Amino acid sequence: MTGKSAHPFADVAPALAEITEKVLFGDVWNRPGLSPRDRSLITITCLISLYRENELPFHLKRALENGVTREEIAETITHLAFYAGWPPASTAIAVARKVFEEGTDNG
C-alpha cells in the first residue's frame, strides 16, 4: 500500500489495513457470486446480529451506496429484532438514524 491509508487503524496496524483493502474490499467484495447490494445486506445483518456497532455506520453508508434503501434497512432491523434480539435492533436503529441524518442515500 502506498501513501496514506483511509483505514482508521492503519497508523497502528498497517499490515491489517493493507490486507483489509486488498483481500476484503479488493477480492471478497468483488467476487461474482453476489451483487454488492446483496453483500451489503448480508454484512449489515451480521453486524447488527453480532452487536458490532463500531463497524455498522460505515457499512450502512456502503449499503446505501450499493442500492439498499432506508426502508430496506429499517425492515432488516425490524426483522432482526426477533432473531438477534431487541438490544441489537434498538442500537442499530440509533446508528441508522445518525447515518440517515448525515446525508445522501437511496431512500
Side-chain angles (χ1 to χ4, degrees):
M1 206 156 76
T2 59
K4 186 176 179 184
S5 174
H7 294 285
F9 49 81
D11 61 328
V12 176
L16 180 58
E18 181 177 3
I19 292 166
T20 300
E21 185 175 307
K22 287 182 179 178
V23 177
L24 177 59
F25 294 113
D27 294 337
V28 175
W29 272 85
N30 291 310
R31 291 178 51 80
L34 292 169
S35 69
R37 181 187 182 287
D38 291 345
R39 288 185 193 280
S40 283
L41 274 172
I42 292 165
T43 301
I44 64 170
T45 297
C46 289
L47 293 174
I48 293 165
S49 297
L50 295 171
Y51 225 148
R52 301 296 194 250
E53 62 185 286
N54 287 338
E55 294 80 11
L56 192 54
F58 171 83
H59 283 285
L60 286 172
K61 291 173 192 171
R62 188 176 180 107
L64 291 166
E65 291 167 3
N66 285 335
V68 180
T69 66
R70 286 180 172 205
E71 291 77 16
E72 290 169 323
I73 290 170
E75 189 60 30
T76 298
I77 296 168
T78 301
H79 190 75
L80 287 173
F82 294 91
Y83 289 92
W86 290 98
S90 65
T91 297
I93 289 293
V95 173
R97 179 181 290 116
K98 279 182 148 176
V99 168
F100 296 165
E101 289 172 353
E102 286 176 2
T104 312
D105 65 16
N106 261 346

